[in-house]
C-alpha cells in the first residue's frame, strides 16, 4: 500500500484556490516583525530573492553560498529570458494561457494548482524587477520588448540581451545587499552546507564548511530553506556551471526528504556539440536563437556524408536540398517546439545519418533568412553576445557571408546538438514549498514543483523568482507562525554534534582511500554511463545495465579514489569528491525512477513507449502521478511513494505541436 502524500492544496477550482489561499495568508501580518531566524542555502535567483524578501519581512536570515559572491551563482548563466503573461504584444496572452502552455509543455505531469499560481505571479516578477532597475530590452517606443520561446505561440519572454539571468541576479543582489546593510541578512560566502540537522523531526539547522579554512561550523535556525540548484552535472558534461552540484539536495534526501520525479531531466537542443574527450563543460546557445534561426540538416545522405568528411560546407547546400525538419514535422510551432521535442527530432535525424560535423552528431542553426530579411544589425542587437560567444569557442562567426546562390546570400550556420541542461525533478515539496521534513523548504531548480516532465524555455527564472519573491515569503509563515513560541535550538545539542562528526568522518574516509584515480576521471566515467544508459533514449534493459555499471563504478570510487591534501584549509578536490559521492546517489535515483516509469513523457523517453511517428507515448492510466522516492540506505533501492495528480481546470490530452 503506497504511503499517502498530502500536498496541502485547498479545495476548489484552481483560480479560486490561490485567491483563498492568499486571503488566508493575510492573517499573518508581514509587518509584524518576528524575531525568527531562517537559513537560506543558495544565492542564485531563488535563494537571493528569498533571502532579501524574508529579511524585508522582518526575519533574520543567514544566507550561504559556495562562490565568493552571491553574484556568481549559476543563475548568471541564464541567457534567453523570463516568461510573464503581461500580453504587452496584444497577441492573446493571459494568465490562463501561460498556465495552459506550461502544463502542456510539461506533458501533463506537473501539479496543476502550482502552475496556476506560478502563472498568476509571473507579472508581479516583471514589475518587481523593473522597479529594481533590471535593464530589460525595450521597444523603440519605450515598452518592454518580448520574444518567443518554445512551446508558446505568443511572445511573452522578457529579456536583457543574452544576459537575462545576470541582470536579474544583479537586481536580486541589490535587494539582498540592502538587507545585509540593514543587518537583517548575514552572508556566508565560500561556505558549503554539508548536512541538514534534524531535531525532533524538524529541520533546525545545518552543518556548513568554511571552504577557505576547512573548518566545520554549526548553524541553528527556526527553518531551513535550500535553493541550491539542479543535478544536471551528474552527467559530467552539461551546460551547467562547473560548480553546480546536488549535494545539499541529496543530504536532505538522505535525511528523509522525498525526492520527486528524478528521471525528468531536460536535454536542450541548442548546445555547441561535444568536440573531444578532454572537454569538461558544454556551452548553451540560447533557445532565443530559435526565434530567428532555422534548424536544418541536408535532405540527401550524400551531402551529409560530404559534410562529415569536410569536403563540403553547409553554405554550399542550396535551399531546395535543405530539410528544415522541425518546420516540416511541426508546422504550427516550427522551430519553436518545446525542447524535448526538438532534441529528439535532432537525434532522430543524426541517428539516420543526416547529422553534420565530423562526428555526424550535429545539426545546423542558420540565420541566413533572418539576416537577409532584417539585416545583420538587428540580429546583432538581439543576439550579439551569443554570436560572439559562438565565435570565441568555434572560430566561426554566424554573421559572416559565406556564399551566394541564385542571388541569395548564405551565412555561416552554427552547429548545435542536444546536451543535458536542466533538471525538472527535485526535492518534493507541498503547495507551501515545504519538503516532507517539517521546517525544511526547497525552492528554485532544486525542487520539483512546477515543470512536470519538461520545462518550457524562460520558465526556470520565472519559477525561481516566483518562489523567492512571492510564494515562499507567504507560505513559510504558516510554519513559522507556530515557531514564535519555540526558542532557537542550541547548536550544542547532540543532534548537531552527531551530524558534524559524521561529516568529519566522511571527509576522513575519502582522504584515506589513497587510491589511484582522480575525482574527475571517475566523474567522467559516471557521465558516460548516464548519457549512454540514462540519457535521451532509455530502455528497461539499458537502465538495468546502467544501474549495474554505476554500482561497480561506485565501488571503484570507494576503494580507488585519490584525494590529495588534507581537510584543513582549501581543498577543492575533497569538495569535488563529496559532490561525486552524491552524484552517484543521484544517478542511481534517476535510473530507478526511469525504470519504474513505463511510459514516455516530456524529457523522459523510454524507447519501448513511442508512437509510430516517434513521439512520446504517455500512459495516464498507470503513471499519472508524481513519483516520490524515500531513501533506504546506500546500495538499497529507495521506496516509491505516489502523489496522484488531480486536474480540474485543464483537460489532459496528448500533446500536439503539429497544428
Ligand atoms: C546556460 C544556461 C542558460 C539558461 N538560460 C535560462 C533562461 O534564459 N531562462 C530561464 O528561465 N532559465 C534558464 N536557465 C535555467 C536557470 O538558469 C536555472 O534553472 C536557475 O538559474 C536556477 O536558479 P537557482 O536559484 O534555483 O539555482 P542556482 O542559480 O544554481 O544557485 C544555486 C545556489 O546554491 C548555492 N549552493 C549550492 N550548493 C550549496 C551548498 N551545499 N552549500 C551552500 N550553497 C550551495 C550556490 O552557491 C548558488 O548560490 C539556464 C540554465 C543554463 C545552464
Amino acid at each position: 500500500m503506497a504511503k499517502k502524500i498530502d500536498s496541502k492544496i485547498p479545495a476548489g477550482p484552481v483560480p479560486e484556490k490561490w485567491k483563498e489561499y492568499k486571503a488566508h495568508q493575510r492573517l499573518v501580518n508581514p509587518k509584524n516583525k518576528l524575531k525568527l531566524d531562517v537559513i537560506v542555502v543558495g544565492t542564485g535567483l531563488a535563494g537571493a530573492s528569498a533571502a532579501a524578501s524574508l529579511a524585508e519581512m522582518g526575519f533574520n536570515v543567514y544566507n550561504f553560498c559556495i562562490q565568493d559572491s552571491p553574484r556568481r551563482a549559476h543563475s548568471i548563466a541564464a541567457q534567453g529570458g523570463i516568461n510573464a503573461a503581461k500580453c504587452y504584444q496584444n497577441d492573446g496572452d493571459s494568465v490562463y494561457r501561460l498556465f495552459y502552455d506550461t502544463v502542456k509543455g510539461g506533458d501533463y505531469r506537473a501539479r496543476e494548482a502550482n502552475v496556476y499560481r506560478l502563472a498568476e505571479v509571473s507579472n508581479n516578477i516583471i514589475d518587481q524587477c523593473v522597479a529594481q532597475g533590471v535593464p530589460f530590452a525595450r521597444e523603440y517606443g519605450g515598452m518592454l520588448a518580448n520574444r518567443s520561446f518554445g512551446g508558446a505561440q505568443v511572445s511573452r519572454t522578457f529579456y536583457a540581451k543574452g544576459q537575462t539571468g545576470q541582470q536579474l541576479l544583479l537586481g536580486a543582489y541589490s535587494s539582498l545587499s540592502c538587507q545585509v546593510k540593514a543587518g537583517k541578512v548575514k552572508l556566508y560566502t565560500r561556505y558549503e552546507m554539508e548536512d541538514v540537522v534534524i531535531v525532533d523531526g524538524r529541520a533546525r539547522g545545518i552543518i556548513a564548511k568554511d571552504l577557505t579554512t576547512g573548518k566545520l561550523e554549526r548553524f541553528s535556525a527556526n527553518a531551513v530553506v535550500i535553493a541550491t540548484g539542479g543535478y544536471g552535472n551528474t552527467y559530467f558534461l552539461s551546460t551547467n556551471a562547473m560548480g553546480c552540484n546536488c549535494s545539499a539536495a541529496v543530504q536532505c534526501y538522505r535525511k528523509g526528504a522525498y525526492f520527486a520525479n528524478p528521471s525528468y531531466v531536460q536535454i536542450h537542443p541548442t548546445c555547441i556539440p561535444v568536440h573531444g574527450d578532454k572537454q569538461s563543460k558544454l556551452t548553451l546557445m540560447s533557445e532565443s536563437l530559435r526565434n530567428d534561426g532555422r534548424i536544418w540538416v541536408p535532405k540527401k545522405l550524400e551531402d551529409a556524408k560530404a559534410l562529415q568528411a569536410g569536403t563540403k560546407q553547409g553554405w554550399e547546400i542550396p535551399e531546395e536540398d535543405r530539410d528544415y525538419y522541425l518546420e516540416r514535422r511541426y508546422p504550427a510551432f516550427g522551430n519553436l517546439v518545446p525542447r524535448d521535442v526538438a532534441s529528439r527530432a535532432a537525434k532522430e535525424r543524426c541517428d539516420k545519418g543526416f547529422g553534420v560535423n565530423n562526428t555526424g552528431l550535429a545539426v545546423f542553426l542558420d540565420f541566413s533568412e533572418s539576416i537577409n530579411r532584417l539585416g545583420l544589425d538587428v540580429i546583432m542587437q538581439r543576439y550579439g553576445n551569443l554570436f560572439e560567444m559562438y565565435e570565441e569557442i568555434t572560430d566561426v562567426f554566424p554573421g559572416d557571408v559565406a556564399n551566394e546562390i541564385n542571388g541569395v546570400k548564405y551565412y555561416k550556420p552554427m552547429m548545435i546538438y542536444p546536451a543535458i541542461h536542466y533538471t525538472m525533478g527535485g526535492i518534493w515539496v507541498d503547495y507551501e514549498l515545504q519538503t516532507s521534513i517539517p521546517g525544511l523548504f526547497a525552492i528554485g531548480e532544486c525542487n520539483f514543483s512546477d515543470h512536470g516532465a519538461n520545462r518550457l524555455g524562460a520558465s526556470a527564472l520565472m519559477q525561481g523568482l516566483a518562489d523567492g519573491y512571492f510564494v515562499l515569503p507567504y507560505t513559510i509563515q504558516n510554519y513559522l507562525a507556530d515557531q514564535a513560541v519555540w526558542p532557537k535550538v542550541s547548536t550544542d545539542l547532540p543532534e548537531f554534534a552527531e551530524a558534524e562528526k559524521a561529516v568529519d568522518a566522511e571527509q576522513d574516509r575519502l582522504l584515506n582511500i589513497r587510491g589511484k584515480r582522480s575525482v574527475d576521471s571517475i566523474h567522467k566515467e559516471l557521465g558516460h554511463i548516464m548519457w549512454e544508459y540514462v540519457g535521451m533514449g532509455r530502455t528497461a534493459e539499458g537502465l538495468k545495465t546502467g544501474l549495474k555499471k554505476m554500482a561497480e563504478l561506485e565501488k571503484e570510487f570507494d576503494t580507488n579514489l585519490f584525494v590529495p591534501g588534507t581537510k584543513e584549509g582549501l581543498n577543492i578536490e575533497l569538495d569535488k569528491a563529496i559532490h561525486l559521492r552524491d552524484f552517484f546517489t543521484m544517478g542511481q535515483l534517476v535510473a530507478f525512477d526511469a525504470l519504474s516509469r513505463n511510459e514516455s513523457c516530456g524529457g523522459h523517453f523510454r524507447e519501448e513507449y513511442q508512437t509510430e511517428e516517434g513521439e512520446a507515448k504517455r500512459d495516464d492510466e498507470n503513471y499519472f502521478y508524481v513519483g516520490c522516492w524515500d531513501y533506504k540506505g546506500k546500495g538499497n533501492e529507495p521506496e516509491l511513494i505516489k502523489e496522484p495528480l488531480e486536474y480540474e481546470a485543464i483537460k489532459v490530452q496528448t500533446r500536439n505541436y503539429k497544428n
Side-chain angles (χ1 to χ4, degrees), residues 146-167:
N146 289 130
R147 54 190 175 199
S148 304
F149 263 54
Q153 288 173 310
V154 293
S155 275
R156 61 160 74 102
T157 305
F158 294 77
Y159 62 99
K161 229 178 174 182
Q163 315 165 341
T164 316
Q166 183 173 17
Q167 297 306 330

Side-chain angles (χ1 to χ4, degrees), residues 41-47 64-67 73-75 77-81 191-193 227-229 239-240 245 248 284 421-422 444-445 455 458-461:
V41 187
T43 60
L45 277 172
F64 296 80
C65 70
I66 54 179
Q67 291 85 2
H74 162 64
S75 289
Q79 300 169 349
Y191 266 73
E192 177 148 1
M193 168 177 157
T228 48
T239 62
N240 289 192
N245 67 87
L284 175 75
H421 175 66
Y422 179 87
E445 190 174 338
R455 171 176 72 81
S459 286
L461 301 183

